Amino acid sequence: MASMWTFALARLAGILISGLILGLLFGPVWLWLLGAACLYLAWQLLNLYRLDRWLRLRSQIDPPNIGGIWGDVIGQVVRLHRRKQFHKQRLVQLYRELRRSTAALPDGVIILSSQNEIVWFNRQAARLLGLKRPIDVGLRVDNLIRSPEFVHYLHGDDFATPVVIRPRVHSELYQALQLVPYGVGQSLLLVRDVTRQMRLEATRKDFVANASHELRTPLTVISGYLDTLADDPSIDETWAGPIKDMRAQAQRMNTIIADLLELSRLESTDGEAPREPIDVPSMLERLHRDALASSDRPRQVSLDLESDDGLYGSLQEIESAFTNVLVNGIKYTLSDGMVRMRWWTDAEGAHFSVVDSGIGIPAEHIPRLTERFYRVDGGRSRDRGGSGLGLAIVKHALQRHGGWLDVQSTEGKGSTFTCHFPQQRIWHTPLRAAARA
């Protein structure tokens, strides 16, 4: 490059020297020097025109054959253009490979912006959710998928577990949606068809419900005979211990079957719970009295009623949920421990919590607590008479009321189970508040 500039300066110097010599020989020096400079300028402008014309018509004409510094500039432009073409072809090839690979995926993929707007989606996502390109690109995904469960999941902060929805009303199809954050504020929404799994789950639930119904009658007969044998004075005393154990196991089986039937009833009931007014403070006072009357309760069981409001819902389901949460706290708290019930309302809704100073729950088990028959410690739970269904019942009962269960726990220090309800479910009871005042 330096040699080219040296050659260009030498050429300019040669033209000016030639003009100077001609001026000394044939006339005014300045006139010949001006003429030489204009000739050099005209030649440079001609080369600039040829370069500009080639740049504008690069795909139609060959590069001009110009020597010197202009030829070097044209050579650099040609190399840059070839490099750009190479990278462009490579990017196009990668994009085509990406489109082919995403089209072959069995799951739907949607790219979302930081505002949850659709940036791109593959063919499977369009098929599963009924999206259309380019109409739906740029729209917020929660405006297109109007499931309350999905909206709550999208605006939450726990994306480890997918949310299962029905994308269309009265549809028999089920989709599992999971959000995967990446980059700066962007995220992938993965969509999977889980209709087959949900149907298998429904079949399993039907089988459990039917089996529970069939077992209930013979178990009632067995329990009746065992009660009769226990009260019969003519039975040998050596059978007292075995009969007592059989009665305890029969009672435990009755409890499991009752929980299974209640859970099956909740799962098989579509839609929201009815909107019957429930006097929650009175119900909690009754639960508190029952807890204090229990022989195996912790040393301290307290109740804090910070609101006189109640709920709109099903009394049976709410009482079952609150009882299971309370029993769960009492069951895993030592005799010298503490269990505190609390009921309050605020701008976000109504809340019922049970705080205990029990054994606590390891963090890795908390996401699975509401699964059927899931136990953190199977042996210890059986010793305490747990069926593994209580929190599953709580979860489904709360979902029927638009609520959810929050669990906070530290192993060895205790747990806090909180039932949250939306504002729409609060039943304001001014008469009760006036009576208490």
Side-chain angles (χ1 to χ4, degrees):
M1 187 69 180
S3 61
M4 289 296 177
W5 280 104
T6 303
F7 178 75
L9 292 174
R11 177 180 290 176
L12 175 60
I15 291 175
L16 292 177
I17 291 173
S18 299
L20 177 64
I21 294 173
L22 291 173
L24 292 173
L25 293 176
F26 301 106
V29 175
W30 65 271
L31 186 61
W32 283 96
L33 285 175
L34 179 62
C38 290
L39 181 65
Y40 184 78
L41 178 61
W43 181 68
Q44 296 294 346
L45 290 175
L46 177 63
N47 289 338
L48 182 61
Y49 167 77
R50 294 172 67 186
L51 175 61
D52 175 69
R53 182 170 179 271
W54 171 69
L55 290 175
R56 286 186 287 105
L57 305 174
R58 190 169 58 245
S59 60
Q60 303 176 17
I61 61 177
D62 294 330
N65 185 15
I66 307 175
I69 190 66
W70 289 103
D72 189 68
V73 169
I74 291 173
Q76 291 188 55
V77 171
V78 169
R79 286 192 293 273
L80 288 173
H81 176 66
R82 288 176 179 173
R83 191 179 306 166
K84 186 190 75 171
Q85 287 294 107
F86 171 77
H87 287 297
K88 181 179 178 180
Q89 292 175 359
R90 186 177 179 185
L91 287 174
V92 170
Q93 184 179 2
L94 288 174
Y95 177 69
R96 288 174 179 171
E97 290 294 331
L98 177 63
R99 291 191 62 180
R100 283 195 289 265
S101 61
T102 54
L105 286 174
D107 299 338
V109 179
I110 303 175
I111 298 178
L112 301 178
S113 69
S114 58
Q115 303 298 322
N116 294 324
E117 297 169 342
I118 297 177
V119 178
W120 177 88
F121 54 86
N122 68 348
R123 190 180 306 165
Q124 188 71 349
R127 186 185 70 83
L128 292 174
L129 297 174
L131 302 179
K132 297 179 181 179
R133 189 182 289 111
I135 299 174
D136 294 332
V137 174
L139 299 180
R140 288 178 59 91
V141 69
D142 48 351
N143 289 337
L144 299 174
I145 306 176
R146 295 181 173 273
S147 169
E149 296 87 354
F150 173 70
V151 174
H152 178 72
Y153 172 82
L154 183 66
H155 296 286
D157 55 2
D158 182 12
F159 307 122
T161 305
V163 59
V164 179
I165 66 166
R166 286 184 178 183
R168 287 174 287 275
V169 181
H170 305 304
S171 173
E172 295 184 357
L173 303 178
Y174 291 87
Q175 268 93 50
L177 287 78
Q178 184 171 14
L179 205 66
V180 182
Y182 77 95
V184 181
Q186 290 187 305
S187 55
L188 289 177
L189 182 62
L190 306 180
V191 187
R192 177 174 299 176
D193 187 354
V194 292
T195 304
R196 183 173 179 272
Q197 294 90 317
M198 295 301 293
R199 287 175 179 171
L200 290 174
E201 180 68 12
T203 303
R204 183 186 66 82
K205 291 175 182 177
D206 290 341
F207 169 77
V208 171
N210 293 333
S212 300
H213 277 290
E214 294 299 325
L215 287 173
R216 195 170 195 176
T217 299
L219 188 58
T220 302
V221 174
I222 293 172
S223 298
Y225 279 116
L226 288 174
D227 292 341
T228 302
L229 290 174
D231 297 334
D232 190 348
S234 64
I235 298 296
D236 193 338
E237 292 185 0
T238 57
W239 284 97
I243 291 175
K244 181 180 178 182
D245 292 340
M246 286 188 287
R247 289 182 70 190
Q249 292 302 320
Q251 179 60 36
R252 180 168 178 268
M253 291 180 66
N254 272 317
T255 302
I256 293 175
I257 290 176
D259 286 345
L260 280 172
L261 291 174
E262 174 67 12
L263 185 58
S264 298
R265 186 188 66 80
L266 289 171
E267 291 177 335
S268 61
T269 305
D270 293 329
E272 294 186 351
R275 299 183 63 84
E276 302 170 357
I278 304 171
D279 191 346
V280 173
S282 295
M283 181 184 68
L284 292 178
E285 287 173 349
R286 186 174 67 255
L287 294 180
H288 183 226
R289 289 194 299 269
D290 294 341
L292 292 176
S294 176
S295 59
D296 56 351
R297 68 174 177 85
R299 177 176 53 84
Q300 181 182 354
V301 180
S302 62
L303 171 62
D304 294 336
L305 295 176
E306 302 176 13
S307 173
D308 292 300
D309 293 330
L311 291 173
Y312 285 110
S314 168
L315 174 61
Q316 177 186 352
E317 294 176 14
I318 293 298
E319 185 168 354
S320 174
F322 286 6
T323 300
N324 276 291
V325 173
L326 175 60
V327 169
N328 187 78
I330 292 175
K331 188 184 302 180
Y332 297 103
T333 302
L334 300 179
S335 58
D336 59 345
M338 174 275 299
V339 173
R340 177 195 174 203
M341 293 185 291
R342 182 186 173 208
W343 168 254
W344 76 101
T345 58
D346 55 26
E348 297 180 357
H351 318 274
F352 169 69
S353 68
V354 174
V355 182
D356 65 69
S357 59
I359 58 179
I361 305 166
E364 63 270 18
H365 295 286
I366 291 178
R368 300 189 60 190
L369 285 178
T370 56
E371 294 181 11
R372 287 182 172 213
F373 299 109
Y374 186 80
R375 294 184 175 95
V376 177
D377 185 336
R380 182 168 56 191
S381 296
R382 290 188 183 92
D383 292 341
R384 295 175 179 267
S387 65
L389 296 171
L391 293 180
I393 293 174
V394 173
K395 172 188 173 182
H396 285 84
L398 294 183
Q399 285 179 344
R400 291 244 303 148
H401 292 78
W404 67 95
L405 177 67
D406 177 65
V407 181
Q408 303 292 331
S409 183
T410 303
E411 190 173 8
K413 294 185 178 180
S415 307
T416 300
F417 289 77
T418 306
C419 304
H420 299 281
F421 298 91
Q423 274 281 350
Q424 307 89 283
R425 284 285 174 176
I426 297 179
W427 174 45
H428 299 288
T429 54
L431 294 179
R432 179 184 176 90
R436 287 197 168 192

PDB file of all heavy atoms in Angstrom, residues 155-184:
ATOM      1  N   HIS A 155     -46.674 -14.714  34.401  1.00  0.00           N
ATOM      2  CA  HIS A 155     -46.278 -13.552  35.201  1.00  0.00           C
ATOM      3  C   HIS A 155     -45.686 -13.961  36.550  1.00  0.00           C
ATOM      4  O   HIS A 155     -45.444 -13.100  37.398  1.00  0.00           O
ATOM      5  CB  HIS A 155     -47.478 -12.631  35.415  1.00  0.00           C
ATOM      6  CG  HIS A 155     -47.990 -12.031  34.139  1.00  0.00           C
ATOM      7  ND1 HIS A 155     -47.336 -11.022  33.466  1.00  0.00           N
ATOM      8  CD2 HIS A 155     -49.085 -12.334  33.382  1.00  0.00           C
ATOM      9  CE1 HIS A 155     -48.002 -10.697  32.382  1.00  0.00           C
ATOM     10  NE2 HIS A 155     -49.073 -11.485  32.297  1.00  0.00           N
ATOM     11  N   GLY A 156     -45.459 -15.262  36.745  1.00  0.00           N
ATOM     12  CA  GLY A 156     -44.820 -15.727  37.966  1.00  0.00           C
ATOM     13  C   GLY A 156     -43.310 -15.755  37.821  1.00  0.00           C
ATOM     14  O   GLY A 156     -42.730 -15.174  36.886  1.00  0.00           O
ATOM     15  N   ASP A 157     -42.650 -16.442  38.737  1.00  0.00           N
ATOM     16  CA  ASP A 157     -41.190 -16.529  38.692  1.00  0.00           C
ATOM     17  C   ASP A 157     -40.685 -17.961  38.804  1.00  0.00           C
ATOM     18  O   ASP A 157     -39.475 -18.185  38.904  1.00  0.00           O
ATOM     19  CB  ASP A 157     -40.571 -15.681  39.820  1.00  0.00           C
ATOM     20  CG  ASP A 157     -41.117 -16.053  41.191  1.00  0.00           C
ATOM     21  OD1 ASP A 157     -41.937 -16.992  41.278  1.00  0.00           O
ATOM     22  OD2 ASP A 157     -40.728 -15.398  42.179  1.00  0.00           O
ATOM     23  N   ASP A 158     -41.590 -18.938  38.780  1.00  0.00           N
ATOM     24  CA  ASP A 158     -41.199 -20.341  38.858  1.00  0.00           C
ATOM     25  C   ASP A 158     -41.614 -21.024  37.567  1.00  0.00           C
ATOM     26  O   ASP A 158     -42.792 -21.301  37.334  1.00  0.00           O
ATOM     27  CB  ASP A 158     -41.868 -21.018  40.062  1.00  0.00           C
ATOM     28  CG  ASP A 158     -41.442 -22.472  40.219  1.00  0.00           C
ATOM     29  OD1 ASP A 158     -40.463 -22.878  39.546  1.00  0.00           O
ATOM     30  OD2 ASP A 158     -42.068 -23.206  41.002  1.00  0.00           O
ATOM     31  N   PHE A 159     -40.619 -21.288  36.700  1.00  0.00           N
ATOM     32  CA  PHE A 159     -40.897 -21.901  35.409  1.00  0.00           C
ATOM     33  C   PHE A 159     -40.363 -23.328  35.324  1.00  0.00           C
ATOM     34  O   PHE A 159     -40.254 -23.885  34.230  1.00  0.00           O
ATOM     35  CB  PHE A 159     -40.275 -21.062  34.287  1.00  0.00           C
ATOM     36  CG  PHE A 159     -40.663 -19.610  34.339  1.00  0.00           C
ATOM     37  CD1 PHE A 159     -39.701 -18.618  34.430  1.00  0.00           C
ATOM     38  CD2 PHE A 159     -41.995 -19.235  34.312  1.00  0.00           C
ATOM     39  CE1 PHE A 159     -40.060 -17.280  34.474  1.00  0.00           C
ATOM     40  CE2 PHE A 159     -42.371 -17.904  34.361  1.00  0.00           C
ATOM     41  CZ  PHE A 159     -41.392 -16.924  34.444  1.00  0.00           C
ATOM     42  N   ALA A 160     -40.020 -23.918  36.466  1.00  0.00           N
ATOM     43  CA  ALA A 160     -39.448 -25.262  36.449  1.00  0.00           C
ATOM     44  C   ALA A 160     -40.465 -26.314  36.034  1.00  0.00           C
ATOM     45  O   ALA A 160     -40.127 -27.296  35.374  1.00  0.00           O
ATOM     46  CB  ALA A 160     -38.874 -25.607  37.830  1.00  0.00           C
ATOM     47  N   THR A 161     -41.726 -26.116  36.405  1.00  0.00           N
ATOM     48  CA  THR A 161     -42.776 -27.077  36.099  1.00  0.00           C
ATOM     49  C   THR A 161     -43.687 -26.515  35.025  1.00  0.00           C
ATOM     50  O   THR A 161     -44.186 -25.399  35.161  1.00  0.00           O
ATOM     51  CB  THR A 161     -43.598 -27.407  37.360  1.00  0.00           C
ATOM     52  OG1 THR A 161     -42.724 -27.859  38.387  1.00  0.00           O
ATOM     53  CG2 THR A 161     -44.632 -28.479  37.061  1.00  0.00           C
ATOM     54  N   PRO A 162     -43.946 -27.262  33.927  1.00  0.00           N
ATOM     55  CA  PRO A 162     -44.848 -26.762  32.881  1.00  0.00           C
ATOM     56  C   PRO A 162     -46.278 -26.624  33.399  1.00  0.00           C
ATOM     57  O   PRO A 162     -46.674 -27.272  34.368  1.00  0.00           O
ATOM     58  CB  PRO A 162     -44.758 -27.836  31.786  1.00  0.00           C
ATOM     59  CG  PRO A 162     -43.548 -28.650  32.109  1.00  0.00           C
ATOM     60  CD  PRO A 162     -43.366 -28.572  33.589  1.00  0.00           C
ATOM     61  N   VAL A 163     -47.042 -25.767  32.741  1.00  0.00           N
ATOM     62  CA  VAL A 163     -48.461 -25.609  33.055  1.00  0.00           C
ATOM     63  C   VAL A 163     -49.267 -26.279  31.944  1.00  0.00           C
ATOM     64  O   VAL A 163     -48.951 -26.142  30.761  1.00  0.00           O
ATOM     65  CB  VAL A 163     -48.839 -24.106  33.187  1.00  0.00           C
ATOM     66  CG1 VAL A 163     -48.550 -23.352  31.901  1.00  0.00           C
ATOM     67  CG2 VAL A 163     -50.287 -23.954  33.580  1.00  0.00           C
ATOM     68  N   VAL A 164     -50.280 -27.040  32.320  1.00  0.00           N
ATOM     69  CA  VAL A 164     -51.105 -27.774  31.359  1.00  0.00           C
ATOM     70  C   VAL A 164     -52.414 -27.022  31.172  1.00  0.00           C
ATOM     71  O   VAL A 164     -53.092 -26.687  32.150  1.00  0.00           O
ATOM     72  CB  VAL A 164     -51.373 -29.211  31.834  1.00  0.00           C
ATOM     73  CG1 VAL A 164     -52.261 -29.953  30.837  1.00  0.00           C
ATOM     74  CG2 VAL A 164     -50.061 -29.964  32.025  1.00  0.00           C
ATOM     75  N   ILE A 165     -52.767 -26.756  29.911  1.00  0.00           N
ATOM     76  CA  ILE A 165     -53.979 -25.989  29.606  1.00  0.00           C
ATOM     77  C   ILE A 165     -54.731 -26.656  28.459  1.00  0.00           C
ATOM     78  O   ILE A 165     -54.212 -27.530  27.756  1.00  0.00           O
ATOM     79  CB  ILE A 165     -53.647 -24.538  29.209  1.00  0.00           C
ATOM     80  CG1 ILE A 165     -52.871 -24.524  27.879  1.00  0.00           C
ATOM     81  CG2 ILE A 165     -52.873 -23.826  30.291  1.00  0.00           C
ATOM     82  CD1 ILE A 165     -52.793 -23.160  27.236  1.00  0.00           C
ATOM     83  N   ARG A 166     -55.986 -26.211  28.293  1.00  0.00           N
ATOM     84  CA  ARG A 166     -56.751 -26.493  27.086  1.00  0.00           C
ATOM     85  C   ARG A 166     -56.744 -25.228  26.241  1.00  0.00           C
ATOM     86  O   ARG A 166     -57.294 -24.206  26.648  1.00  0.00           O
ATOM     87  CB  ARG A 166     -58.189 -26.868  27.426  1.00  0.00           C
ATOM     88  CG  ARG A 166     -58.353 -28.257  28.020  1.00  0.00           C
ATOM     89  CD  ARG A 166     -59.821 -28.557  28.221  1.00  0.00           C
ATOM     90  NE  ARG A 166     -60.032 -29.894  28.741  1.00  0.00           N
ATOM     91  CZ  ARG A 166     -61.231 -30.424  28.958  1.00  0.00           C
ATOM     92  NH1 ARG A 166     -62.315 -29.698  28.722  1.00  0.00           N
ATOM     93  NH2 ARG A 166     -61.345 -31.639  29.424  1.00  0.00           N
ATOM     94  N   PRO A 167     -56.102 -25.256  25.065  1.00  0.00           N
ATOM     95  CA  PRO A 167     -55.968 -24.018  24.299  1.00  0.00           C
ATOM     96  C   PRO A 167     -57.287 -23.461  23.789  1.00  0.00           C
ATOM     97  O   PRO A 167     -57.420 -22.268  23.555  1.00  0.00           O
ATOM     98  CB  PRO A 167     -55.055 -24.416  23.131  1.00  0.00           C
ATOM     99  CG  PRO A 167     -55.224 -25.893  23.005  1.00  0.00           C
ATOM    100  CD  PRO A 167     -55.486 -26.403  24.387  1.00  0.00           C
ATOM    101  N   ARG A 168     -58.282 -24.311  23.589  1.00  0.00           N
ATOM    102  CA  ARG A 168     -59.581 -23.847  23.096  1.00  0.00           C
ATOM    103  C   ARG A 168     -60.687 -24.394  23.979  1.00  0.00           C
ATOM    104  O   ARG A 168     -60.586 -25.500  24.515  1.00  0.00           O
ATOM    105  CB  ARG A 168     -59.793 -24.281  21.647  1.00  0.00           C
ATOM    106  CG  ARG A 168     -58.928 -23.497  20.655  1.00  0.00           C
ATOM    107  CD  ARG A 168     -59.051 -24.038  19.266  1.00  0.00           C
ATOM    108  NE  ARG A 168     -58.361 -25.306  19.109  1.00  0.00           N
ATOM    109  CZ  ARG A 168     -57.074 -25.416  18.841  1.00  0.00           C
ATOM    110  NH1 ARG A 168     -56.341 -24.340  18.702  1.00  0.00           N
ATOM    111  NH2 ARG A 168     -56.510 -26.597  18.712  1.00  0.00           N
ATOM    112  N   VAL A 169     -61.754 -23.620  24.108  1.00  0.00           N
ATOM    113  CA  VAL A 169     -62.891 -24.006  24.941  1.00  0.00           C
ATOM    114  C   VAL A 169     -63.541 -25.262  24.367  1.00  0.00           C
ATOM    115  O   VAL A 169     -63.675 -25.409  23.153  1.00  0.00           O
ATOM    116  CB  VAL A 169     -63.909 -22.851  25.023  1.00  0.00           C
ATOM    117  CG1 VAL A 169     -65.087 -23.243  25.906  1.00  0.00           C
ATOM    118  CG2 VAL A 169     -63.233 -21.592  25.555  1.00  0.00           C
ATOM    119  N   HIS A 170     -63.955 -26.175  25.265  1.00  0.00           N
ATOM    120  CA  HIS A 170     -64.611 -27.426  24.901  1.00  0.00           C
ATOM    121  C   HIS A 170     -63.710 -28.329  24.049  1.00  0.00           C
ATOM    122  O   HIS A 170     -64.204 -29.206  23.332  1.00  0.00           O
ATOM    123  CB  HIS A 170     -65.927 -27.175  24.155  1.00  0.00           C
ATOM    124  CG  HIS A 170     -66.877 -26.284  24.897  1.00  0.00           C
ATOM    125  ND1 HIS A 170     -67.313 -26.570  26.186  1.00  0.00           N
ATOM    126  CD2 HIS A 170     -67.452 -25.106  24.548  1.00  0.00           C
ATOM    127  CE1 HIS A 170     -68.134 -25.615  26.582  1.00  0.00           C
ATOM    128  NE2 HIS A 170     -68.232 -24.704  25.626  1.00  0.00           N
ATOM    129  N   SER A 171     -62.421 -28.087  24.080  1.00  0.00           N
ATOM    130  CA  SER A 171     -61.488 -28.940  23.340  1.00  0.00           C
ATOM    131  C   SER A 171     -61.051 -30.113  24.204  1.00  0.00           C
ATOM    132  O   SER A 171     -60.944 -29.998  25.429  1.00  0.00           O
ATOM    133  CB  SER A 171     -60.267 -28.130  22.903  1.00  0.00           C
ATOM    134  OG  SER A 171     -59.285 -28.973  22.341  1.00  0.00           O
ATOM    135  N   GLU A 172     -60.826 -31.262  23.566  1.00  0.00           N
ATOM    136  CA  GLU A 172     -60.345 -32.439  24.280  1.00  0.00           C
ATOM    137  C   GLU A 172     -58.824 -32.531  24.244  1.00  0.00           C
ATOM    138  O   GLU A 172     -58.257 -33.512  24.707  1.00  0.00           O
ATOM    139  CB  GLU A 172     -60.952 -33.708  23.666  1.00  0.00           C
ATOM    140  CG  GLU A 172     -62.469 -33.782  23.833  1.00  0.00           C
ATOM    141  CD  GLU A 172     -63.036 -35.088  23.299  1.00  0.00           C
ATOM    142  OE1 GLU A 172     -62.238 -35.884  22.756  1.00  0.00           O
ATOM    143  OE2 GLU A 172     -64.246 -35.299  23.423  1.00  0.00           O
ATOM    144  N   LEU A 173     -58.173 -31.543  23.659  1.00  0.00           N
ATOM    145  CA  LEU A 173     -56.719 -31.528  23.564  1.00  0.00           C
ATOM    146  C   LEU A 173     -56.127 -30.799  24.762  1.00  0.00           C
ATOM    147  O   LEU A 173     -56.696 -29.842  25.274  1.00  0.00           O
ATOM    148  CB  LEU A 173     -56.272 -30.856  22.267  1.00  0.00           C
ATOM    149  CG  LEU A 173     -56.799 -31.459  20.968  1.00  0.00           C
ATOM    150  CD1 LEU A 173     -56.307 -30.660  19.784  1.00  0.00           C
ATOM    151  CD2 LEU A 173     -56.377 -32.915  20.838  1.00  0.00           C
ATOM    152  N   TYR A 174     -54.955 -31.265  25.178  1.00  0.00           N
ATOM    153  CA  TYR A 174     -54.237 -30.643  26.285  1.00  0.00           C
ATOM    154  C   TYR A 174     -52.826 -30.309  25.817  1.00  0.00           C
ATOM    155  O   TYR A 174     -52.191 -31.096  25.103  1.00  0.00           O
ATOM    156  CB  TYR A 174     -54.156 -31.580  27.489  1.00  0.00           C
ATOM    157  CG  TYR A 174     -55.476 -31.830  28.178  1.00  0.00           C
ATOM    158  CD1 TYR A 174     -56.321 -32.840  27.746  1.00  0.00           C
ATOM    159  CD2 TYR A 174     -55.878 -31.062  29.268  1.00  0.00           C
ATOM    160  CE1 TYR A 174     -57.530 -33.085  28.376  1.00  0.00           C
ATOM    161  CE2 TYR A 174     -57.081 -31.293  29.906  1.00  0.00           C
ATOM    162  CZ  TYR A 174     -57.900 -32.311  29.457  1.00  0.00           C
ATOM    163  OH  TYR A 174     -59.101 -32.541  30.079  1.00  0.00           O
ATOM    164  N   GLN A 175     -52.343 -29.129  26.198  1.00  0.00           N
ATOM    165  CA  GLN A 175     -50.970 -28.736  25.893  1.00  0.00           C
ATOM    166  C   GLN A 175     -50.241 -28.350  27.177  1.00  0.00           C
ATOM    167  O   GLN A 175     -50.828 -27.711  28.059  1.00  0.00           O
ATOM    168  CB  GLN A 175     -50.941 -27.552  24.926  1.00  0.00           C
ATOM    169  CG  GLN A 175     -50.868 -27.954  23.465  1.00  0.00           C
ATOM    170  CD  GLN A 175     -52.249 -28.045  22.854  1.00  0.00           C
ATOM    171  OE1 GLN A 175     -53.027 -27.125  23.003  1.00  0.00           O
ATOM    172  NE2 GLN A 175     -52.554 -29.130  22.174  1.00  0.00           N
ATOM    173  N   ALA A 176     -48.989 -28.771  27.240  1.00  0.00           N
ATOM    174  CA  ALA A 176     -48.112 -28.379  28.350  1.00  0.00           C
ATOM    175  C   ALA A 176     -47.198 -27.268  27.851  1.00  0.00           C
ATOM    176  O   ALA A 176     -46.515 -27.424  26.837  1.00  0.00           O
ATOM    177  CB  ALA A 176     -47.296 -29.570  28.833  1.00  0.00           C
ATOM    178  N   LEU A 177     -47.192 -26.131  28.547  1.00  0.00           N
ATOM    179  CA  LEU A 177     -46.386 -24.975  28.153  1.00  0.00           C
ATOM    180  C   LEU A 177     -45.337 -24.711  29.227  1.00  0.00           C
ATOM    181  O   LEU A 177     -45.651 -24.694  30.416  1.00  0.00           O
ATOM    182  CB  LEU A 177     -47.252 -23.730  27.980  1.00  0.00           C
ATOM    183  CG  LEU A 177     -48.165 -23.675  26.740  1.00  0.00           C
ATOM    184  CD1 LEU A 177     -49.405 -24.520  26.928  1.00  0.00           C
ATOM    185  CD2 LEU A 177     -48.572 -22.246  26.431  1.00  0.00           C
ATOM    186  N   GLN A 178     -44.096 -24.516  28.779  1.00  0.00           N
ATOM    187  CA  GLN A 178     -43.008 -24.224  29.707  1.00  0.00           C
ATOM    188  C   GLN A 178     -42.171 -23.083  29.166  1.00  0.00           C
ATOM    189  O   GLN A 178     -41.791 -23.064  27.994  1.00  0.00           O
ATOM    190  CB  GLN A 178     -42.127 -25.452  29.931  1.00  0.00           C
ATOM    191  CG  GLN A 178     -41.027 -25.224  30.960  1.00  0.00           C
ATOM    192  CD  GLN A 178     -40.295 -26.487  31.329  1.00  0.00           C
ATOM    193  OE1 GLN A 178     -40.418 -27.509  30.641  1.00  0.00           O
ATOM    194  NE2 GLN A 178     -39.536 -26.451  32.402  1.00  0.00           N
ATOM    195  N   LEU A 179     -41.866 -22.123  30.034  1.00  0.00           N
ATOM    196  CA  LEU A 179     -41.083 -20.943  29.670  1.00  0.00           C
ATOM    197  C   LEU A 179     -39.619 -21.176  30.028  1.00  0.00           C
ATOM    198  O   LEU A 179     -39.310 -21.612  31.130  1.00  0.00           O
ATOM    199  CB  LEU A 179     -41.621 -19.718  30.399  1.00  0.00           C
ATOM    200  CG  LEU A 179     -41.369 -18.352  29.757  1.00  0.00           C
ATOM    201  CD1 LEU A 179     -42.119 -18.246  28.434  1.00  0.00           C
ATOM    202  CD2 LEU A 179     -41.806 -17.243  30.680  1.00  0.00           C
ATOM    203  N   VAL A 180     -38.731 -20.874  29.078  1.00  0.00           N
ATOM    204  CA  VAL A 180     -37.285 -21.028  29.294  1.00  0.00           C
ATOM    205  C   VAL A 180     -36.618 -19.681  29.033  1.00  0.00           C
ATOM    206  O   VAL A 180     -36.424 -19.294  27.872  1.00  0.00           O
ATOM    207  CB  VAL A 180     -36.696 -22.106  28.365  1.00  0.00           C
ATOM    208  CG1 VAL A 180     -35.202 -22.282  28.646  1.00  0.00           C
ATOM    209  CG2 VAL A 180     -37.429 -23.430  28.530  1.00  0.00           C
ATOM    210  N   PRO A 181     -36.281 -18.910  30.074  1.00  0.00           N
ATOM    211  CA  PRO A 181     -35.635 -17.605  29.857  1.00  0.00           C
ATOM    212  C   PRO A 181     -34.222 -17.774  29.286  1.00  0.00           C
ATOM    213  O   PRO A 181     -33.516 -18.732  29.589  1.00  0.00           O
ATOM    214  CB  PRO A 181     -35.593 -16.994  31.262  1.00  0.00           C
ATOM    215  CG  PRO A 181     -36.597 -17.766  32.069  1.00  0.00           C
ATOM    216  CD  PRO A 181     -36.585 -19.152  31.490  1.00  0.00           C
ATOM    217  N   TYR A 182     -33.816 -16.818  28.433  1.00  0.00           N
ATOM    218  CA  TYR A 182     -32.455 -16.794  27.906  1.00  0.00           C
ATOM    219  C   TYR A 182     -32.126 -15.371  27.482  1.00  0.00           C
ATOM    220  O   TYR A 182     -33.019 -14.531  27.298  1.00  0.00           O
ATOM    221  CB  TYR A 182     -32.312 -17.764  26.718  1.00  0.00           C
ATOM    222  CG  TYR A 182     -32.891 -17.246  25.424  1.00  0.00           C
ATOM    223  CD1 TYR A 182     -32.094 -16.605  24.482  1.00  0.00           C
ATOM    224  CD2 TYR A 182     -34.244 -17.362  25.159  1.00  0.00           C
ATOM    225  CE1 TYR A 182     -32.632 -16.125  23.300  1.00  0.00           C
ATOM    226  CE2 TYR A 182     -34.793 -16.884  23.989  1.00  0.00           C
ATOM    227  CZ  TYR A 182     -33.970 -16.271  23.058  1.00  0.00           C
ATOM    228  OH  TYR A 182     -34.506 -15.785  21.893  1.00  0.00           O
ATOM    229  N   GLY A 183     -30.842 -15.105  27.309  1.00  0.00           N
ATOM    230  CA  GLY A 183     -30.420 -13.791  26.854  1.00  0.00           C
ATOM    231  C   GLY A 183     -30.818 -12.696  27.828  1.00  0.00           C
ATOM    232  O   GLY A 183     -30.935 -12.897  29.038  1.00  0.00           O
ATOM    233  N   VAL A 184     -31.080 -11.510  27.279  1.00  0.00           N
ATOM    234  CA  VAL A 184     -31.459 -10.352  28.088  1.00  0.00           C
ATOM    235  C   VAL A 184     -32.964 -10.133  27.920  1.00  0.00           C
ATOM    236  O   VAL A 184     -33.413  -9.498  26.972  1.00  0.00           O
ATOM    237  CB  VAL A 184     -30.685  -9.091  27.659  1.00  0.00           C
ATOM    238  CG1 VAL A 184     -31.079  -7.910  28.537  1.00  0.00           C
ATOM    239  CG2 VAL A 184     -29.183  -9.337  27.726  1.00  0.00           C
TER     240      VAL A 184
END
